[in-house]
Amino acid sequence: RVWLNIPCLGFEKEGLVRYGPQECAVLDALLNHADQRHATVMLCQLDFREICETKNDPRGGWHRNPYSTVCPSATEFFTNRAAKEAFRKRLRYLVARWSASPAVHSWEFFNEVNITDAWRVEKQADNVRAWHAEMAESLRRMDPYRHLLTTSLCNAEDDPIWAQPWIELVQPHCYQTAAVDFASFIREPCLEFLRHNRPVIPGEFGL
């Protein structure tokens, strides 16, 4: 699970729809390295910190996000026409450059999208879900290899986002404060999510 956000291998560091050659070359090398070892990688596009003004992080936040140049606020990222068009261009570049790699396992839209301002502060979860449906449909049309599509939530609660037709992996992140057996802790939500008839991947878990 490799993050393509600003502090990591985000290739839009140079500006909106400006893809940095250095970050892209590193990702080329990483995928080649994985392929040689018969490993596969989930590529995570965005982190919630990038779409937050209320929870900025010195490693990367809305103030460093190139999408802030076209959106008046972080909340509007999910509804702003210019931001959505720019993100679709990013997806087209992603597919054109890396979809043919056997090391690409899946595309993940967000790390813990339910901590973004739109979902958590402004209570606009429906806009976030609609953005996922729109982008997933676009990416499915672009990708000739039909890689699996997913996103992630910061907890193990069920949500209508998992019922969307193009979200093909359910990915909860399961954290706890008690030192108990993690297999038992994760088992219950995973069994609950099976009602969506798709695989469940606990993308993160820990104390």
Side-chain angles (χ1 to χ4, degrees), residues 30-32 34-35 39-42 100-106 147:
L30 186 150
L31 292 175
N32 288 338
D35 185 32
T40 56
V41 176
M42 177 187 290
S101 170
V104 175
H105 171 271
S106 51
H147 293 90

Side-chain angles (χ1 to χ4, degrees), residues 22 48 57 69 97 111 117 141 148 156 162 190 195 204:
Q22 181 176 350
F48 73 88
D57 188 300
T69 61
R97 182 151 184 165
N111 171 61
D117 286 353
R141 287 198 304 267
L148 295 168
W162 303 131
C190 286
R195 72 184 186 87
E204 296 180 16

Side-chain angles (χ1 to χ4, degrees), residues 126-138:
D126 283 346
N127 287 342
V128 179
R129 296 184 190 107
W131 180 92
H132 276 77
E134 191 175 339
M135 294 304 158
E137 185 177 3
S138 294

Side-chain angles (χ1 to χ4, degrees), residues 75-187:
T75 302
E76 295 180 47
F77 170 81
F78 296 99
T79 56
N80 182 279
R81 183 177 297 179
K84 289 196 286 187
E85 182 57 31
F87 191 76
R88 282 195 186 88
K89 290 179 180 178
R90 172 191 170 120
L91 293 178
R92 280 198 292 269
Y93 186 83
L94 188 83
V95 167
R97 182 151 184 165
W98 294 295
S99 66
S101 170
V104 175
H105 171 271
S106 51
W107 313 118
E108 178 184 7
F109 286 109
F110 256 94
N111 171 61
E112 301 184 348
V113 71
N114 58 331
I115 318 183
T116 57
D117 286 353
W119 189 304
R120 182 175 58 91
V121 179
E122 300 296 333
K123 311 300 182 187
Q124 296 179 8
D126 283 346
N127 287 342
V128 179
R129 296 184 190 107
W131 180 92
H132 276 77
E134 191 175 339
M135 294 304 158
E137 185 177 3
S138 294
L139 184 51
R140 174 54 68 236
R141 287 198 304 267
M142 296 174 193
D143 182 6
Y145 300 97
R146 298 186 62 83
H147 293 90
L148 295 168
L149 306 182
T150 187
T151 195
S152 62
L153 302 186
C154 77
N155 49 39
E157 70 181 34
D158 204 351
D159 188 87
I161 201 167
W162 303 131
Q164 292 185 1
W166 301 122
I167 299 297
E168 298 158 320
L169 296 175
V170 177
Q171 190 191 164
H173 292 174
C174 308
Y175 288 92
Q176 58 171 340
T177 56
V180 299
D181 174 63
F182 274 105
S184 299
F185 172 66
I186 292 172
R187 182 176 185 271

Side-chain angles (χ1 to χ4, degrees), residues 42-80:
M42 177 187 290
L43 293 177
C44 178
Q45 305 306 307
L46 298 167
D47 173 46
F48 73 88
R49 295 170 185 84
E50 295 176 282
I51 317 295
C52 282
E53 293 175 81
T54 57
K55 194 172 182 177
N56 271 329
D57 188 300
R59 297 170 298 171
W62 182 245
H63 65 288
R64 293 181 57 190
N65 190 334
Y67 289 89
S68 67
T69 61
V70 294
C71 292
S73 69
T75 302
E76 295 180 47
F77 170 81
F78 296 99
T79 56
N80 182 279

